[in-house]
Amino acid sequence: TWPPFFTAKASFDRNMADSGASTVFPIRAGEVKKGGHVMIKEHPCKVIEVTTSKTGKHGHAKANITGIDIFEGSKHMDISPTSHNMEAPFVTTTNYTIIDVGPEMFATLMDAEGETREDLNLDIEKYEHQKKVHEEFLEKGECEVRVIKACGREMIFPLAG
C-alpha cells in the first residue's frame, strides 16, 4: 500500500504515548549508568548493574546491562556495543495522597494542589506493594503514594521504598 509509512504503524504505537509524544529517547549503550533507566527487551527498567568488556577483535567494546522492570519487578539483561544506541524511557514520578478507594479498587488520588484523579486502581492480588498501600489506607484513612509513569503506563507505589 502507498504511502509506505502507514505500514509501520506498530513501531509508532510502541514509541508513542496518547499525546503523540515519544515515550523513549536514544541513549548510547556506553552512557547507560547504574540507577538510570533503559529499555531492555521492551521493558522499562531501572539499571542495577553495568559492566563493559574490552574491545574485541571486531573492534567494539560491549556493555552488559542488567535492569529491573520498574512495573513488574522482573530482571532483564542485554548486551550491546557501547557505541550503539539503545532506547531509554521517559520516567516521571508524582506524589499523591490516597483519600479513598472505591469498591472496584480505584484509588482517589489528590495531588499537592488539591486536584484529584480516580483512574488508577490497586491490584492487591497481583502486586504486594499495592496490597501494602491498601492496608495502610485502611489503617490510617489515607496514604502517601508515588505514581510512576513510563511508556504510557502508570502505577501506584508506596512513597517510602
Side-chain angles (χ1 to χ4, degrees):
T1 60
W2 189 257
F5 53 83
F6 287 120
T7 61
K9 185 176 185 329
S11 66
F12 288 116
D13 288 346
R14 181 178 59 81
N15 292 327
M16 298 293 184
D18 293 338
S19 66
S22 180
T23 61
V24 295
F25 61 94
I27 184 170
R28 278 190 33 241
E31 296 172 359
V32 173
K33 303 287 182 230
K34 182 177 179 178
H37 295 95
V38 70
M39 297 296 291
I40 301 177
K41 298 181 174 82
E42 303 287 322
H43 296 272
C45 294
K46 183 166 188 157
V47 178
I48 58 169
E49 184 180 19
V50 179
T51 57
T52 53
S53 64
K54 301 241 185 250
T55 303
K57 67 179 183 179
H58 297 293
H60 289 287
K62 300 259 193 295
N64 187 341
I65 300 163
T66 304
I68 303 292
D69 185 306
I70 60 176
F71 296 117
E72 301 299 326
S74 53
K75 189 175 190 178
H76 300 277
M77 295 167 45
D78 196 8
I79 298 173
S80 178
T82 56
S83 60
H84 288 197
N85 275 350
M86 299 181 76
E87 291 181 330
F90 286 106
V91 178
T92 60
T93 62
T94 308
N95 294 347
Y96 291 94
T97 301
I98 294 181
I99 57 174
D100 191 28
V101 177
E104 295 185 17
M105 299 306 291
F106 278 90
T108 302
L109 303 166
M110 185 172 64
D111 66 15
E113 288 76 41
E115 298 291 320
T116 60
R117 61 184 285 193
E118 300 177 10
D119 59 332
L120 297 176
N121 74 323
L122 293 171
D123 189 342
I124 62 172
E125 302 297 323
K126 185 173 181 181
Y127 300 108
E128 185 65 30
H129 68 274
Q130 290 192 344
K131 183 178 182 180
K132 289 178 182 174
V133 165
H134 187 242
E135 288 169 354
E136 182 178 337
F137 169 77
L138 292 175
E139 180 184 317
K140 298 180 178 177
E142 66 178 36
C143 179
E144 300 293 318
V145 295
R146 173 170 291 141
V147 172
I148 298 178
K149 180 177 182 178
C151 300
R153 183 175 176 190
E154 293 180 282
M155 185 179 279
I156 298 171
F157 290 87
L159 191 56

